[in-house]
Amino acid sequence: MVHNFNAGPSILPHTVFEEASQAILNFNNTGLSILEIGHRTSLFEEVLNEAVSLVKELMKLDENKEVIFLHGGASTQFFQLPMNYLSKDKKAAYMDAGVWGTKAIKEAKRFGQVDVVASSKDRNYTYIPKDYAVPHEAVYFHYTTNNTIEGTQMHSIPNLSMPLVADMSSDILSREMDFNRFAFIYAGAQKNIGAAGVNLVVIDKKFLEKSSSTVPSMMDYKQHVSNGSMLNTPPVFAIYVCLLTLRWLKKMGGVAAIEKINQQKAGLLYDTLENIPLFHLPVAKEDRSLMNAVFTMNNEELEKKFLALCKAEGMVGIKGHRSVGGFRVSMYNALSLSSVEALVALIKDFGNKYA
Ligand SMILES: *Cc1c(COP(=O)(O)O)cnc(C)c1O
């Protein structure tokens, strides 16, 4: 038995793997593989339409929102967004709360003025900045809802007047949120919604109108929207895996139901770690992520022993990101409570032996 705590690409529901495998051999009893059907056939159109409508339903989006699937992962949005909205005389505001936000800032600077209004770099990104002012001329405010590498998460939506833009790659559809408050949301699929190779984008119609019309076609949001994610060949299989995962989430009871389980999983793990002095939790308690729990030990030998034990017990993906060290346990939607319970049992045993 393997327990997959990988940070991304990461665990997906087992039924999704089964259904996706079947579709590679014989998609919907057509005698064709999903890998060999045309993207402009009704077969694929149905897949895309259902995926879009499930996103709208699960996120409770209003009629002012457009949903598209794009190539290039979240990292492409780091530059596609400012390419569309910034110029030398225009400014955007960014929060710098982790590695991914820093990368987004770097790319935005190529296209216009960037005001980094808040940063937690001073304490190695172990907290979320709270008090900051955003210049009202900013054309948008960009932040990362969940800092995948550092294990911090924004638990409320900033109350600002300018359009809100969020990179939700690692916590999309994991908790209830008023998604309609955002002008622009993007998320690489490989953490909570599907297979790598596709990016979910939700864009407000008014914000869409303000996007550039002089960028190359593949960078042009309006063209992607008016062509219904089919400006060119979309990542057909990756979108199909998203559809299967979205169906699974709906069957589980939707976002509210999965949020409860996510809280149980993270609560159990953090409570356990807090009660064993061997482990150290670097992140400010109020900013802890429900998706990625980061912890350390101040003994390298014991860290190695712990990792070896995890490996022996089939616990995969526990080693922390090279920039943070220690351990990181990712608990995305598809990870079951029983996997966290198994890890917690191992942690307790380890604590009893070495504390
Ligand atoms: C994983 C991740 C990314 C990078 O996604 P790619 O699809 O590899 O470009 C960006 N932002 C966040 C918050 C992530 O977790």
Side-chain angles (χ1 to χ4, degrees), residues 104-120:
I105 289 165
K106 181 182 167 203
E107 300 306 316
K109 283 180 177 165
R110 300 179 196 275
F111 298 96
Q113 299 172 32
V114 172
D115 204 339
V116 180
V117 295
S119 172
S120 48

Side-chain angles (χ1 to χ4, degrees), residues 7-8 72-78 100-101 144-149 167-171 186-191 196-199 292 332:
S75 302
T76 295
Q77 295 312 306
F78 292 168
W100 295 116
T144 313
T145 49
N146 182 71
N147 295 287
T148 327
I149 291 172
D167 174 359
M168 297 195 186
S169 294
S170 54
D171 68 349
Y186 62 97
Q190 67 272 25
K191 281 132 192 173
V198 68
N199 202 10
N292 315 94
Y332 298 119

Side-chain angles (χ1 to χ4, degrees), residues 245-304:
T245 312
L246 293 164
R247 280 182 186 158
W248 169 84
L249 181 57
K250 184 176 171 179
K251 224 168 138 187
M252 290 288 290
V255 177
I258 209 76
E259 178 177 13
K260 273 202 193 111
I261 302 172
N262 287 336
Q263 278 169 347
Q264 264 181 301
K265 292 185 297 192
L268 176 63
L269 180 63
Y270 285 124
D271 284 349
T272 306
L273 291 167
E274 264 183 352
N275 287 310
I276 303 175
L278 207 57
F279 295 100
H280 172 61
L281 290 156
V283 167
K285 191 165 181 173
E286 74 272 18
D287 300 325
R288 282 178 190 163
S289 166
L290 296 184
M291 294 284 100
N292 315 94
V294 166
F295 54 99
T296 58
M297 269 185 236
N298 37 21
N299 180 326
E300 233 177 87
E301 281 312 302
L302 279 185
E303 282 199 350
K304 275 188 198 144

Side-chain angles (χ1 to χ4, degrees), residues 124-295:
N124 287 327
Y125 300 120
T126 52
Y127 68 102
I128 298 285
K130 304 286 179 334
D131 292 315
Y132 51 91
V134 181
H136 42 90
E137 71 272 22
V139 297
Y140 62 80
F141 171 74
H142 177 286
Y143 75 103
T144 313
T145 49
N146 182 71
N147 295 287
T148 327
I149 291 172
E150 298 81 1
T152 63
Q153 189 172 28
M154 294 262 290
H155 294 295
S156 60
I157 302 173
N159 226 333
L160 298 168
S161 58
M162 64 283 307
L164 290 180
V165 172
D167 174 359
M168 297 195 186
S169 294
S170 54
D171 68 349
I172 189 133
L173 294 171
S174 69
R175 56 173 171 161
E176 286 211 289
M177 245 175 135
D178 185 357
F179 294 106
N180 289 310
R181 281 182 57 193
F182 294 86
F184 191 97
I185 294 168
Y186 62 97
Q190 67 272 25
K191 281 132 192 173
N192 259 331
I193 39 178
V198 68
N199 202 10
L200 173 69
V201 168
V202 176
I203 183 165
D204 185 82
K205 286 177 182 163
K206 281 208 190 86
F207 193 65
L208 177 66
E209 276 166 30
K210 290 186 276 181
S211 67
S212 166
S213 295
T214 58
V215 293
S217 297
M218 278 300 285
M219 293 291 109
D220 186 335
Y221 292 124
K222 288 195 202 91
Q223 287 196 47
H224 280 290
V225 168
S226 62
N227 285 277
S229 302
M230 296 236 251
L231 186 55
N232 73 327
T233 313
V236 169
F237 186 63
I239 292 174
Y240 183 63
V241 177
C242 288
L243 169 62
L244 296 175
T245 312
L246 293 164
R247 280 182 186 158
W248 169 84
L249 181 57
K250 184 176 171 179
K251 224 168 138 187
M252 290 288 290
V255 177
I258 209 76
E259 178 177 13
K260 273 202 193 111
I261 302 172
N262 287 336
Q263 278 169 347
Q264 264 181 301
K265 292 185 297 192
L268 176 63
L269 180 63
Y270 285 124
D271 284 349
T272 306
L273 291 167
E274 264 183 352
N275 287 310
I276 303 175
L278 207 57
F279 295 100
H280 172 61
L281 290 156
V283 167
K285 191 165 181 173
E286 74 272 18
D287 300 325
R288 282 178 190 163
S289 166
L290 296 184
M291 294 284 100
N292 315 94
V294 166
F295 54 99

Side-chain angles (χ1 to χ4, degrees), residues 14-34:
H14 194 73
T15 53
V16 168
F17 294 139
E18 284 167 353
E19 289 162 355
S21 310
Q22 182 53 41
I24 286 180
L25 297 172
N26 180 5
F27 176 60
N28 280 3
N29 288 320
T30 54
L32 294 167
S33 166
I34 179 89

